[in-house]
Amino acid sequence: MNIYEDAGKDMYDIYYDGIIKDAYDTEDYDVWSDASSDAYDDWSNCLSDIYDVWSDMQSDIYEFQSDLRSEVYDHDDERAQKKMDKFKKSILRMKEDAND
């Protein structure tokens, strides 16, 4: 959860509370107000996107853990290995997507 909170705070501090706040004294109010609203919308949307990814990741990890626990409990080592291999492939795909 720290990534979500830290990213949101850093983005807010630098972009919204830094640049936008500084522009208040140098820009016409209408220009500043529009930019301020746009910056806040961007910040809010970014946090929503981060939260969605984080939440999906938590769900995926929980599902993997639950599935693996069932296979281990049932002493089905082959299915447990398949679950681990599938999860590993999923992680590698996410890494590739992040690098694109």
Side-chain angles (χ1 to χ4, degrees), residues 4-57:
Y4 171 72
E5 291 171 357
D6 290 348
K9 183 180 179 328
D10 289 348
M11 184 179 173
Y12 186 91
D13 288 348
I14 293 167
Y15 186 55
Y16 186 76
D17 199 30
I19 296 168
I20 299 299
K21 184 178 178 182
D22 291 345
Y24 182 81
D25 295 328
T26 60
E27 295 295 325
D28 291 336
Y29 181 79
D30 291 342
V31 172
W32 175 85
S33 179
D34 288 346
S36 179
S37 294
D38 290 345
Y40 187 85
D41 288 345
D42 291 345
W43 173 74
S44 179
N45 290 338
C46 181
L47 282 185
S48 294
D49 291 346
I50 291 169
Y51 184 82
D52 288 346
V53 170
W54 176 81
S55 179
D56 289 348
M57 179 193 66

